[in-house]
Amino acid sequence: MTNIVFTAMSAEEADAFRNGNPDANGQKPERSLAAGTYPCRVCLGQIEEGEAMLLLSYRPFPSLQPFAETGPIFIHAEACSRYEAQEILPPMLEGPDYLVRGYGFNDRIVYGTGAVTPTDRLSTYAQQLLLRDDIAYVHVRSARNNCYQCRIDRASIGNCT
């Protein structure tokens, strides 16, 4: 099997949004207090009820192209530590299942790889996909709404990111 790393949004990108930089739709992120719990795409933990959070439109791809999906995400409004752990399921992934899908080196969906996967099989399925030569990385998305959760990459030996 291949070693994997769960890759969160970079701290620099999150800080840019926290400083008012526009989101993928060209809008300033919306600030509010959490009315419940929400998954943070930076620490890959939960934004707890009453904590300040940002809601913004996010495109986790390097450039515009037909498969560069854009959707809503949440991040802590105040700085949080970026998640960096190999093969340890992030705390925000506590649902019953997620959509796991492979992307090629051209940042496009590799057809036939998308599968709603039980959470306890998520790492195993991502490892299987990353053994393929045509898969560059994997996305974990909500099985219900297709919202981006995080990315899974091959782990470099001796390096978590």
Side-chain angles (χ1 to χ4, degrees):
M1 280 296 189
T2 227
N3 290 333
I4 61 172
V5 60
F6 289 88
T7 305
M9 174 191 288
S10 76
E12 295 79 18
E13 190 173 20
D15 286 342
F17 292 129
R18 290 179 181 120
N19 289 324
N21 283 14
D23 67 11
N25 286 336
Q27 299 173 314
K28 183 177 178 179
E30 296 179 9
R31 185 181 177 101
S32 63
L33 295 180
T37 58
Y38 298 85
C40 176
R41 289 359 183 256
V42 181
C43 67
L44 301 187
Q46 296 293 339
I47 301 167
E48 299 297 333
E49 184 163 354
E51 282 189 280
M53 67 179 189
L54 297 180
L55 168 61
L56 57 112
S57 181
Y58 187 62
R59 186 179 52 251
F61 297 92
S63 61
L64 290 174
Q65 43 91 0
F67 288 95
E69 299 157 296
T70 301
I73 65 162
F74 304 95
I75 65 172
H76 282 103
E78 305 304 323
C80 57
S81 297
R82 183 177 189 227
Y83 186 83
E84 294 184 18
Q86 288 188 16
E87 302 192 33
I88 299 171
L89 201 63
M92 71 180 260
L93 297 178
E94 57 187 24
D97 51 24
Y98 291 89
L99 174 60
V100 178
R101 184 167 54 213
Y103 288 80
F105 292 89
N106 61 356
D107 298 306
R108 294 172 185 247
I109 295 168
V110 176
Y111 280 96
T113 62
V116 175
T117 307
T119 304
D120 64 351
R121 299 244 333 116
L122 194 147
S123 294
T124 301
Y125 185 54
Q127 288 171 327
Q128 290 170 351
L129 288 176
L130 289 168
L131 286 173
R132 294 175 46 167
D133 291 338
D134 61 339
I135 305 291
Y137 57 89
V138 171
H139 274 188
V140 178
R141 292 176 170 269
S142 163
R144 309 298 178 277
N145 301 307
N146 196 38
C147 296
Y148 175 80
Q149 304 297 307
C150 65
R151 178 172 151 156
I152 301 175
D153 292 288
R154 289 172 186 87
S156 300
I157 296 179
N159 185 7
C160 291
T161 58

